[in-house]
Amino acid sequence: MKNAIEGVSAQTLKRIPTYLTYLEEQKALGKEYISTPIIANAMGLSEILVKKDLTSILTTSGKPKVGHNIQNVIDEIKYFLGVHNETKAILVGAGQLGSALLGYKGFDKWNIKIEAAFDKNEKSSSKKTGNIAIMNVNKLRDYLLNNDIQIGIIATPVEAAQAICNIFVDCGIKGIWNFAPLVLQTPDDVVVQNENLASSLAILSKRLQSK
Amino acid sequence: MKNAIEGVSAQTLKRIPTYLTYLEEQKALGKEYISTPIIANAMGLSEILVKKDLTSILTTSGKPKVGHNIQNVIDEIKYFLGVHNETKAILVGAGQLGSALLGYKGFDKWNIKIEAAFDKNEKSSSKKTGNIAIMNVNKLRDYLLNNDIQIGIIATPVEAAQAICNIFVDCGIKGIWNFAPLVLQTPDDVVVQNENLASSLAILSKRLQSK
């Protein structure tokens, strides 16, 4: 199975989870095989694009007439995404958005675990959201230095975000998922994924106005 | 000023809010002009890409040596995104994620207003999150037929999402912002923007493993 990101475009990468979601739905409906045109039609993509995406991530190809074995494709996509390796994350900023992320059920499926959360308003480590302890942010550096964490999630107000980012970087975190609306300054070897909810909605609004 | 989406790629569109955020930060720091190389460096993009992006959305070009007038670029980007027109949205699913969206401060800046929210657990219209009334979802259809709403936000569990989407479509909603992890079936004239938080984190994890 392929397990490299080389040759897979950022756009393909963004579509992969949607393929997985769709294929799992089809499997749950009892289907065993699926063809590229059917996937393309359901997802509103061109057949050429779907064929190109699947070729870039799969090692097996579909059978003539019947198409792809759905379970095989699901297994290959999960392997490609590294779901077999657990990823450990921590979150800073346990306000409304941060709490929503802590309570979000969807991460398990991807073998991603939020191990701990930090907030400036926590005086003790006794408060919990779900099963996750929320600690005072002044314990963040110690925690990161003593635990093997791959991803840091920033759900703080914009004013605090760069300072938290700096602590992450100092403590060797190489992946940051940033919900604060600012451009974080990081070294080149740190991967930042920005999630700007307001601008997503603004883009939808723009797409709508242009129709 | 340009106000069309034609000739602007989806990738450029996704970067526009980040340009805007960065430029507003620079303006707040008292800067008046900025050059393409400085923007490119701060955002971790190539100069060619930044030049291409700005050319596709701006009607004015930068001055030799000093670069772009920051305020002009901000104004042009906002006009391009249609921020001068108010967009009205409603939200269905006022659980943890939905409540976080209702409490989110970032939408104002884009002139987007969430007018009302609906949840299956609301028996009356008395409960409020922020200033937004939460109504029983059985009032959704009536509300949409009697109010001018452009965008429907789906923050329900996955099982309920397609049924809510169908009500949106029936009532003439043309833009859907979907947080449920499924591929919504919609007519071609409806724009769906999917926001899959878990898969965003999975992609970050994948990018990290591949470094």
Side-chain angles (χ1 to χ4, degrees):
Chain A
M1 291 188 183
K2 296 184 188 179
N3 191 24
I5 207 163
E6 296 83 25
V8 177
S9 74
Q11 279 307 294
T12 298
L13 202 54
K14 290 208 82 167
R15 282 188 292 270
I16 288 176
T18 317
Y19 286 121
L20 190 54
T21 300
Y22 175 70
L23 292 169
E24 288 182 331
E25 282 172 17
Q26 295 305 302
K27 194 190 129 202
L29 293 172
K31 292 193 185 144
E32 202 181 338
Y33 286 88
I34 198 157
S35 69
T36 311
I38 289 175
I39 298 173
N41 187 50
M43 290 181 54
L45 301 171
S46 78
E47 280 185 48
I48 294 169
L49 192 64
V50 172
K51 198 163 280 184
K52 196 168 145 268
D53 282 350
L54 293 182
T55 305
S56 73
I57 48 177
L58 302 180
T59 52
T60 56
S61 44
K63 288 184 194 173
K65 296 195 181 159
V66 293
H68 292 277
N69 178 296
I70 294 177
Q71 186 61 57
N72 279 359
V73 178
I74 290 172
D75 291 344
E76 285 220 46
I77 290 178
K78 284 190 165 177
Y79 188 85
F80 173 83
L81 286 175
V83 174
H84 49 295
N85 298 320
E86 188 178 70
T87 302
K88 289 181 178 164
I90 58 115
L91 177 141
V92 181
Q96 232 168 353
L97 178 65
S99 300
L101 292 171
L102 292 178
Y104 195 63
K105 302 277 187 293
F107 300 132
D108 293 352
K109 178 176 157 188
W110 302 96
N111 210 358
I112 293 166
K113 200 158 170 258
I114 302 182
E115 297 273 317
F118 298 85
D119 196 277
K120 74 174 168 51
N121 290 324
E122 293 309 314
K123 291 204 177 74
S124 73
S125 63
S126 60
K127 192 179 164 187
K128 285 193 170 198
T129 294
N131 288 317
I132 301 162
I134 300 177
M135 293 178 255
N136 191 294
V137 73
N138 63 24
K139 293 182 183 160
L140 174 62
R141 192 179 289 267
D142 262 6
Y143 185 92
L144 289 176
L145 294 175
N146 289 299
N147 291 274
D148 183 27
I149 301 295
Q150 288 86 52
I151 289 177
I153 305 172
I154 298 179
T156 65
V158 63
E159 305 78 40
Q162 184 63 52
I164 298 301
C165 171
N166 294 346
I167 296 174
F168 286 172
V169 170
D170 280 356
C171 297
I173 294 282
K174 300 290 182 206
I176 296 174
W177 197 24
N178 174 38
F179 284 83
L182 87 165
V183 180
L184 293 170
Q185 304 299 314
T186 55
D188 287 345
D189 65 339
V190 174
V191 180
V192 178
Q193 179 140 326
N194 292 300
E195 215 72 47
N196 189 330
L197 294 176
S199 67
S200 282
L201 190 47
I203 289 169
L204 174 57
S205 168
K206 173 64 183 170
R207 287 171 66 196
L208 207 54
Q209 288 171 29
S210 308
K211 284 210 77 133
Chain B
M1 292 187 183
K2 295 183 188 181
N3 191 23
I5 207 163
E6 297 82 26
V8 177
S9 74
Q11 280 306 296
T12 298
L13 202 53
K14 289 209 83 167
R15 282 189 291 269
I16 288 176
T18 316
Y19 286 120
L20 190 54
T21 300
Y22 175 70
L23 292 169
E24 287 182 331
E25 283 172 18
Q26 294 306 302
K27 193 189 128 200
L29 293 173
K31 292 194 187 146
E32 201 180 340
Y33 286 87
I34 198 157
S35 68
T36 310
I38 289 175
I39 299 173
N41 186 49
M43 289 180 55
L45 302 171
S46 78
E47 279 185 49
I48 294 169
L49 192 65
V50 172
K51 198 162 281 185
K52 195 166 146 270
D53 282 351
L54 293 182
T55 304
S56 72
I57 49 176
L58 302 180
T59 52
T60 55
S61 46
K63 288 185 193 172
K65 297 198 178 158
V66 293
H68 292 277
N69 178 295
I70 294 176
Q71 186 60 55
N72 280 357
V73 178
I74 291 171
D75 292 344
E76 285 221 47
I77 289 177
K78 286 191 165 177
Y79 188 85
F80 173 83
L81 286 174
V83 175
H84 49 296
N85 299 319
E86 189 178 68
T87 302
K88 289 179 177 166
I90 59 114
L91 177 141
V92 182
Q96 230 168 355
L97 178 65
S99 300
L101 292 172
L102 292 178
Y104 195 63
K105 302 278 186 293
F107 300 132
D108 292 352
K109 178 175 157 188
W110 302 96
N111 210 358
I112 293 166
K113 199 156 170 255
I114 302 182
E115 297 273 316
F118 299 84
D119 196 278
K120 72 173 169 52
N121 290 324
E122 293 310 313
K123 291 202 178 76
S124 73
S125 61
S126 59
K127 193 179 164 188
K128 286 193 169 197
T129 294
N131 288 316
I132 301 162
I134 300 176
M135 292 177 256
N136 191 294
V137 74
N138 62 23
K139 294 183 182 158
L140 174 61
R141 193 180 289 268
D142 263 6
Y143 185 91
L144 289 176
L145 295 175
N146 290 300
N147 291 275
D148 182 28
I149 301 294
Q150 289 86 52
I151 289 178
I153 305 172
I154 298 179
T156 65
V158 64
E159 305 78 40
Q162 184 64 53
I164 297 301
C165 172
N166 295 347
I167 297 174
F168 285 172
V169 170
D170 280 357
C171 296
I173 294 282
K174 300 291 180 205
I176 296 174
W177 197 24
N178 174 39
F179 285 83
L182 87 166
V183 180
L184 293 171
Q185 305 299 313
T186 55
D188 287 346
D189 65 338
V190 174
V191 181
V192 178
Q193 179 140 328
N194 291 300
E195 215 72 46
N196 189 329
L197 294 175
S199 68
S200 282
L201 190 47
I203 289 169
L204 174 58
S205 167
K206 173 66 184 169
R207 286 171 66 196
L208 208 53
Q209 288 171 30
S210 307
K211 284 209 75 133

